[in-house]
């Protein structure tokens, strides 16, 4: 055999050996992934209780599957919180828009403990528009950021008097023109004072819809659009209440009570919080934990279900 032929044969043997050696290295990881995915998928199909680890839904959840899962979660929450309602005390649209503006960066409870004195002294937009800012600041001091909030509530009251005849408008495009009123506040007012559907994207709502993998968006307006597309418009207001109530009572930011969660089998983030049922029960808040709610004057349905009214400012 000539020198050239020997070199060619040698090259073919080296190439063949390299091909055989490399083949198993590429296939092994793929086989392992398939096995793990099959076990998880089988467990979810059989409807077994969630494992004690974070269970992710099968990759590539279809649009149809997402819609079904999201709507089922909402139905389950509706059974857990049949009395869900806005947790700000109000008797008319003016009180609700003012209370919602005041609720920024504080609790609804603190707002509810503060607004009785405010509305007793300034019951109408005309009264608040003509108020002495220093006197309003003193009333709103417990709410935090009281100077900025005083400016907002007096400003929106003046706008109501000057532009809307002293009445709160029932249109989104008008509400967002008021000082201190954004889309979130506007939808709270529209949904709960005027019965017009809207999604309230507060911090609880944002956290939970991402935790449930309903959307990966982080911008509130994009979250609103993404979630709105999963539900009929007629569900939007009640959906907001259900999600926000669940976020405040069970699915907390730092220590979610996974072991006491009624939608655990549907949650891809199960296991991020306490999974032991007894320990999880100790993390529950408000009526689920036997504590007063946030409203001083809650709806009768809430009281009938065992909920307790919050104490007034300075009590206990």
């Amino acid at each position: 055999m000539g020198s050239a032929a020997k070199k060619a044969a040698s090259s073919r043997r080296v190439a063949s050996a390299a091909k055989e050696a490399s083949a198993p290295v590429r296939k092994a990881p793929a086989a392992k992934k398939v096995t793990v995915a099959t076990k998880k998928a089988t467990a979810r199909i059989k409807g077994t209780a969630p494992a004690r680890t974070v269970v992710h839904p099968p990759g590539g959840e279809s649009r149809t599957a997402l819609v079904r899962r999201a709507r089922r979660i909402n139905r389950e929450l509706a059974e857990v919180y049949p009395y869900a309602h806005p947790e700000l005390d109000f008797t008319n649209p003016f009180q609700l828009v003012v209370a919602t503006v005041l609720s920024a960066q504080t609790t609804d409870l603190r707002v509810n403990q503060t607004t009785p004195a405010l509305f007793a002294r300034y019951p109408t937009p005309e009264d608040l528009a003509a108020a002495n800012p220093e006197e309003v600041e003193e009333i709103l001091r417990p709410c935090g950021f009281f100077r900025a909030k005083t400016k907002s509530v007096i400003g929106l009251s003046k706008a109501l008097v000057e532009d809307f005849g002293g009445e709160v408008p029932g249109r989104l495009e008008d509400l967002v023109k008021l000082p201190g009123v954004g889309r979130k506040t506007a939808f709270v007012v529209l949904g709960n004072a005027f019965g017009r559907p809207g999604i309230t994207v507060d911090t609880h709502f944002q956290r939970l819809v991402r935790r449930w993998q309903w959307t990966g968006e982080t911008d509130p307006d994009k979250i609103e659009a993404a979630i709105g597309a999963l539900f009929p418009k007629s569900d939007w207001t009640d959906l907001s209440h259900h999600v926000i109530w669940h976020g405040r009572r069970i699915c907390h930011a730092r220590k979610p009570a996974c072991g006491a969660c009624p939608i655990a089998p549907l949650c891809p983030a199960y296991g991020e919080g306490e999974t032991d049922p007894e320990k999880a029960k100790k993390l529950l808040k408000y009526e689920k934990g036997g504590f007063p709610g946030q409203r001083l004057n809650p709806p009768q349905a809430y009281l009938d279900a065992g909920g307790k009214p919050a104490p007034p400012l300075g009590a206990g």
Side-chain angles (χ1 to χ4, degrees):
M1 182 182 294
S3 177
K6 289 182 179 178
K7 288 183 179 180
S10 176
S11 297
R12 286 195 295 270
R13 287 195 299 271
V14 170
S16 178
K19 184 177 180 180
E20 292 176 358
S22 60
V25 175
R26 289 195 303 270
K27 292 180 179 178
K32 182 178 180 180
K33 290 182 179 179
V34 170
T35 301
V36 174
T38 301
K39 288 182 178 179
K40 289 184 178 180
T42 301
R44 294 184 66 83
I45 290 172
K46 290 181 179 179
T48 56
R52 296 289 176 172
T53 57
V54 178
V55 180
H56 297 285
E61 183 178 34
S62 70
R63 173 81 180 173
T64 300
L66 172 59
V67 170
R68 288 175 177 171
R69 181 167 64 86
R71 294 185 182 185
R72 184 179 172 190
I73 286 176
N74 186 41
R75 290 195 300 271
E76 295 283 346
L77 294 180
E79 293 184 7
V80 178
Y81 312 111
Y83 43 76
H85 55 267
E87 294 193 89
L88 290 169
D89 282 320
F90 71 98
T91 58
N92 57 54
F94 172 62
Q95 290 187 0
L96 180 57
V97 70
V98 169
T100 308
V101 168
L102 295 178
S103 69
Q105 296 178 294
T106 190
T107 64
D108 287 356
L109 171 59
R110 181 60 59 167
V111 174
N112 292 335
Q113 292 173 326
T114 304
T115 51
L118 179 71
F119 295 139
R121 187 159 185 174
Y122 311 105
T124 69
E126 290 82 1
D127 294 322
L128 192 51
N132 180 330
E134 292 183 356
E135 294 178 357
V136 176
E137 286 179 0
E138 193 58 33
I139 294 175
L140 298 185
R141 187 180 293 272
C143 285
F145 302 95
F146 58 92
R147 292 189 179 88
K149 291 181 180 180
T150 294
K151 183 177 180 180
S152 291
V153 298
I154 290 179
L156 75 83
S157 297
K158 289 180 177 178
L160 290 176
V161 172
E162 296 170 2
D163 301 332
F164 300 101
E167 299 291 332
V168 176
R171 299 195 312 164
L172 175 65
E173 54 267 39
D174 293 329
L175 284 168
V176 294
K177 294 177 182 177
L178 300 174
V181 177
R183 289 179 67 87
K184 184 191 80 171
T185 297
F187 281 130
V188 170
V189 176
L190 289 173
N192 299 289
F194 293 99
R196 297 177 183 173
I199 294 177
T200 303
V201 185
D202 73 348
T203 54
H204 300 288
F205 193 94
Q206 292 183 50
R207 183 180 76 252
L208 266 62
V209 298
R210 288 198 298 268
R211 183 173 277 175
W212 294 335
Q213 296 183 12
W214 287 4
T215 180
E217 299 290 352
T218 56
D219 177 78
D221 290 350
K222 292 182 179 179
I223 291 174
E224 176 195 322
I227 304 307
L230 300 177
F231 295 87
K233 195 172 183 178
S234 58
D235 288 352
W236 288 357
T237 299
D238 286 340
L239 168 70
S240 300
H241 291 324
H242 297 154
V243 175
I244 292 170
W245 273 55
H246 193 61
R248 284 177 170 169
R249 285 153 175 76
I250 296 178
C251 195
H252 313 134
R254 295 184 180 179
K255 291 184 178 181
C258 294
C261 181
I263 60 167
L266 301 170
C267 182
Y270 176 86
E272 288 187 5
E274 179 57 63
T275 57
D276 180 85
E278 293 304 316
K279 293 181 180 179
K281 286 182 181 179
K282 297 179 181 180
L283 300 175
L284 301 183
K285 296 182 179 180
Y286 306 121
E287 81 285 352
K288 294 300 175 184
F291 304 108
Q294 301 210 56
R295 288 185 67 162
L296 278 66
N297 298 296
Q300 189 60 46
Y302 179 73
L303 298 175
D304 291 343
K308 302 176 184 177
L313 188 66

